[in-house]
Amino acid sequence: MTRQIRTSPAACEQSLHQAYDTALLDLDGVVYAGGAAIAHAVESLGAARAAGMHLAYVTNNALRTPDAVAEHLGELGVPTEAGEVITSAQAVARLIAEQVEPGSKVLVIGGEGLRVALRERGLVPVESADEEGLAAVVQGYGGPDLPWGRFAEASYAINRGVPWFASNTDLTIPGARGIAPGNGAAVEVVRIATGAEPQVAGKPLPPMHRETVLRTGAERPLVVGDRLDTDIEGAFNGEVDSLLVLTGVTDAAQLLRAEPRHRPTYVDRDLRGLMAGQPEVVPVEEGFRCGGWTAVALNNGVLELREADEAGGDGGSGADPLDGLRALCAAAWTAAGDGACTLDAAKALARLGL
């Protein structure tokens, strides 16, 4: 079956918390950054839960255990049970357990989240490549202080033919001070030293989606994330709808250049989008209209943003910039088709302040 190429953000007359039974929420860049809650996240999640939406937290960060994540969310004001947290550590542990014997030794390059997940699957985490009977190497984010020697330990084992697994390959991770190297950057170090390729479990790949479905039982899930190459692509691979929030890694310019597998169903500023509907983007003769804005792909390779031709309307002064971005997405994605948009949108985005 061929998937239809998305050429515009979708409309939703209902509030998203009413249209979907479960929000599958990324954490870093969506709920918090560097340990501190992102603006409007706590109250939005509380309102969604109170209105009956089930919340599950799905993270590629394998450093912390579900208990630790749940405790942290509770401290931020988001009451959470450990069972509502699904990590890439859990997904990769299941992937390993399906390929090795029960009780096998697994070399861990990462944090406590990996060790706990492995033990839950009946596997034995170890620290040395010299362990007799080593069955696998698993690599996950270990925090900024992970010793360089751990990469060498992984390389020794992998170069001897031990199977290599990675929780995820996110190249970056958002923090309080900005964007920092993620587990994908560490995986690249080991790849350079070994020439090997790991089996990867995390978003956007199927093992993480399978783990999430098994643990949540969601029937009408909405994936909520800040990354096109993990959260949104993961939703695409799982054939479920997605909401991109602009509080983390992805900015407006990157969104306009998104290839089909990276195009979200909806886009909003932050988690307040859960409690709202989504406006319609309407094709018009010259381009695409949303709210008080019309976006046009010009023949000179430029994306132009105009005030919508409405009686008494003033797109420049009263219209929502997010509507302008949605209209620009429709113009950019339509022009790009099944590729990435190469049109110049700098002036249009500057006009929106995005």
Side-chain angles (χ1 to χ4, degrees), residues 30-33 36-44 247 269-272:
V30 175
V31 179
Y32 54 64
I38 288 173
H40 310 293
V42 173
E43 55 266 40
S44 298
T247 50
R269 287 180 182 82
D270 50 52
L271 287 178
R272 285 177 293 181

Side-chain angles (χ1 to χ4, degrees), residues 188-233:
E188 287 300 314
V189 172
V190 177
R191 182 185 281 120
I192 291 168
T194 64
E197 291 290 334
Q199 293 186 52
V200 183
K203 297 178 286 187
L205 297 173
M208 189 67 175
H209 181 71
R210 179 180 56 156
E211 192 73 22
T212 301
V213 170
L214 288 172
R215 289 179 180 265
T216 65
E219 295 181 359
R220 301 189 316 279
L222 178 69
V223 170
V224 185
D226 70 309
R227 299 184 69 107
L228 301 180
D229 59 347
T230 56
D231 305 313
I232 306 307
E233 185 175 343

Side-chain angles (χ1 to χ4, degrees), residues 76-273:
L76 295 178
V78 183
T80 306
E81 301 292 332
E84 296 173 309
V85 178
I86 301 95
T87 73
S88 63
Q90 294 171 321
V92 77
R94 186 188 296 270
L95 187 62
I96 296 169
E98 291 171 345
Q99 300 181 42
V100 304
E101 294 295 324
S104 293
K105 297 177 182 178
V106 180
L107 174 61
V108 175
I109 312 299
E112 186 62 17
L114 280 175
R115 295 178 180 87
V116 169
L118 290 170
R119 293 188 189 105
E120 288 177 348
R121 292 288 159 200
L123 302 172
V124 180
V126 299
E127 303 300 315
S128 174
D130 297 330
E131 285 278 352
E132 185 177 351
L134 190 64
V137 176
V138 63
Q139 187 171 358
Y141 183 65
D145 300 321
L146 186 69
W148 186 261
R150 300 305 297 158
F151 305 142
E153 205 68 28
S155 301
Y156 300 148
I158 295 164
N159 281 327
R160 292 201 296 265
V162 178
W164 178 27
F165 297 80
S167 62
N168 66 298
T169 52
D170 299 37
L171 291 173
T172 60
I173 186 169
R177 298 173 60 193
I179 303 299
N183 191 55
V187 166
E188 287 300 314
V189 172
V190 177
R191 182 185 281 120
I192 291 168
T194 64
E197 291 290 334
Q199 293 186 52
V200 183
K203 297 178 286 187
L205 297 173
M208 189 67 175
H209 181 71
R210 179 180 56 156
E211 192 73 22
T212 301
V213 170
L214 288 172
R215 289 179 180 265
T216 65
E219 295 181 359
R220 301 189 316 279
L222 178 69
V223 170
V224 185
D226 70 309
R227 299 184 69 107
L228 301 180
D229 59 347
T230 56
D231 305 313
I232 306 307
E233 185 175 343
F236 176 86
N237 290 339
E239 300 185 18
V240 298
D241 289 346
S242 60
L243 167 66
L244 177 80
V245 291
L246 300 175
T247 50
V249 169
T250 301
D251 61 23
Q254 292 168 327
L255 177 60
L256 296 185
R257 295 193 298 269
E259 299 177 9
R261 68 183 187 278
H262 292 162
R263 296 172 187 170
T265 313
Y266 312 110
V267 58
D268 221 309
R269 287 180 182 82
D270 50 52
L271 287 178
R272 285 177 293 181

Side-chain angles (χ1 to χ4, degrees), residues 294-317:
T294 298
V296 182
L298 301 178
N299 291 332
N300 63 355
V302 172
L303 275 176
E304 183 177 85
L305 196 62
R306 302 172 182 170
E307 297 177 9
D309 185 16
E310 298 174 346
D314 180 4
S317 62

